[in-house]
Amino acid sequence: MQKSVRLKSFELIAQDIKSVDVSLLHALSTGVGWPHRLKDWEFLRRAGRGIVAVDGIGRVFGSAMWFPHGDDFATIGLVITSPRTQSEGNGRWLMQQVFEQCGDRNLALNSTDAAYKLYLALGFTKEATVYQYQGEVPPALPALPALNGELSALSIDKIEEITALDTCAFGTNRARLLALLAEGAAICVLRRGGGIVGYSMCREFGRGHVVGPIVASNDHDAMHLAAVHLEDLAGQFARVDTREKGPFANFLQQSRLAISETVTTMSKGRPFLNRKANEPAVFGLAGHALS
Ligand SMILES: CC(C)(COP(=O)(O)OP(=O)(O)OC[C@H]1O[C@@H](n2cnc3c(N)ncnc32)[C@H](O)[C@@H]1OP(=O)(O)O)[C@@H](O)C(=O)NCCC(=O)NCCS
């Protein structure tokens, strides 16, 4: 008697990502080694839209999400297919469903190496590298340059005070996402000359905490805006995703956070990144899926 059998492949159907039990999404991301907790998936489902690929008995074999910011822009993320079904067209099919839902929006995403060729084939263009810094925060951070301005906490009911600055840095108004992030985040602002010139958030995510978004006009401001949260996380796991290579990145390294992965920022439609010298910029990402 033959001791193995090759089963016929089965059909997957697309379903709204909000229709499945969140534990199935958690199992999917854990299966590809991602750190998302159940709570992270719950948050992402509130923040965005998406689909899952399910089989005839409701098992989840893939996911793809998109996060609209206004009518003409969205970021894409949480594109996952379960390892046993990869390289069979599931990822491409999920992306096509997302395109249909996104309409003619301009799109941006942060691609893993595994997905890079797929996104190139789907018309995305490379823009930048994102460095994922993470590790246990040491008891003392490196010495910082003098602070130019005043740092203070921002309460959630004042969240709209950072919208204009963030829109300038991010390129699109993402006030709805910021309000959602703020629900579970510590928020710090840097004031100078009577106005807010930078802000940072810190929230629980994955193995510990993420410091991001971090928006600032220069590296020194960004360091202070990151340090204010990292100081509270001594001995705990923290993560910062950044496209920076200069003094801000050096500060992260000196804070004993190491690069654990890189992903590639890509866009389809109008270019996503549009950094101008001495203008507010995103030094720390909200997350890979959120950009
Ligand atoms: C990236 C991922 C979603 C692709 O899903 P998939 O189901 O394998 O995708 P498809 O079968 O539709 O393959 C799409 C294309 O990518 C190619 N491809 C698939 N896996 C690949 C890999 N590991 N390396 C290089 N190319 C790969 C396929 O050859 C295919 O090309 P083709 O359409 O020209 O034949 C899947 O590998 C995955 O979940 N990886 C882990 C999580 C991840 O990195 N997600 C991406 C987040 S940005």
Side-chain angles (χ1 to χ4, degrees):
M1 172 77 135
Q2 199 177 322
K3 292 290 185 207
S4 69
V5 61
R6 182 170 292 272
L7 300 176
K8 275 191 191 164
S9 56
F10 44 91
E11 192 174 347
L12 298 173
I13 55 163
Q15 232 174 263
D16 191 315
I17 198 162
K18 290 178 183 159
S19 69
V20 296
D21 193 293
V22 74
S23 63
L24 299 174
L25 302 172
H26 184 235
L28 185 69
S29 55
T30 306
V32 294
W34 286 8
H36 299 64
R37 305 162 305 160
L38 285 170
K39 276 185 181 175
D40 299 324
W41 271 107
E42 277 160 6
F43 171 80
L44 290 160
R45 289 208 300 191
R46 283 179 66 210
R49 298 174 54 184
I51 47 160
V52 281
V54 296
D55 72 356
I57 55 169
R59 292 179 299 183
V60 172
F61 287 88
S63 66
M65 290 199 75
W66 61 283
F67 302 86
H69 303 294
D71 293 334
D72 78 337
F73 179 68
T75 62
I76 292 177
L78 289 310
V79 180
I80 305 171
T81 60
S82 59
R84 292 298 295 271
T85 65
Q86 282 171 11
S87 299
E88 291 191 41
N90 191 5
R92 180 179 279 267
W93 173 72
L94 284 163
M95 283 300 292
Q96 276 154 357
Q97 315 275 323
V98 166
F99 287 157
E100 212 172 286
Q101 293 190 354
C102 288
D104 52 11
R105 282 183 165 85
N106 297 292
L107 301 170
L109 53 76
N110 293 305
S111 172
T112 57
D113 288 347
Y116 186 69
K117 279 190 194 153
L118 170 63
Y119 296 141
L120 271 185
L122 290 170
F124 284 86
T125 313
K126 175 177 175 163
E127 289 204 23
T129 301
V130 175
Y131 305 91
Q132 180 178 328
Y133 284 90
Q134 62 185 38
E136 190 181 304
V137 181
L141 295 177
L144 290 171
L147 174 66
N148 181 6
E150 300 95 48
L151 291 169
S152 58
L154 187 79
S155 61
I156 185 166
D157 54 308
K158 303 245 169 70
I159 188 72
E160 74 286 350
E161 289 187 17
I162 61 172
T163 307
L165 176 76
D166 185 79
T167 303
C168 184
F170 187 70
T172 302
N173 184 317
R174 55 173 175 171
R176 182 178 167 270
L177 174 67
L178 294 180
L180 281 174
L181 287 169
E183 285 178 17
I187 312 163
C188 180
V189 290
L190 176 62
R191 293 177 200 270
R192 191 160 54 225
I196 295 180
V197 294
Y199 83 88
S200 56
M201 291 195 194
C202 178
R203 68 182 197 282
E204 282 184 27
F205 174 83
R207 293 171 61 188
H209 284 79
V210 164
V211 183
I214 304 167
V215 166
S217 298
N218 60 58
D219 287 80
H220 288 183
D221 289 355
M223 286 182 216
H224 281 282
L225 285 159
V228 73
H229 297 293
L230 292 175
E231 276 159 8
D232 292 338
L233 294 174
Q236 298 181 57
F237 182 88
R239 168 174 166 176
V240 180
D241 294 287
T242 186
R243 300 185 184 95
E244 298 303 305
K245 291 182 215 139
F248 179 69
N250 294 341
F251 161 76
L252 295 177
Q253 262 161 14
Q254 287 158 12
S255 304
R256 290 205 229 138
L257 303 185
I259 297 173
S260 74
E261 196 190 347
T262 59
V263 291
T264 306
T265 300
M266 305 178 85
S267 61
K268 184 173 159 80
R270 75 162 152 71
F272 168 50
L273 302 174
N274 181 23
R275 180 145 178 193
K276 298 188 187 88
N278 301 319
E279 289 207 2
V282 174
F283 280 74
L285 277 61
H288 282 178
L290 306 169
S291 269

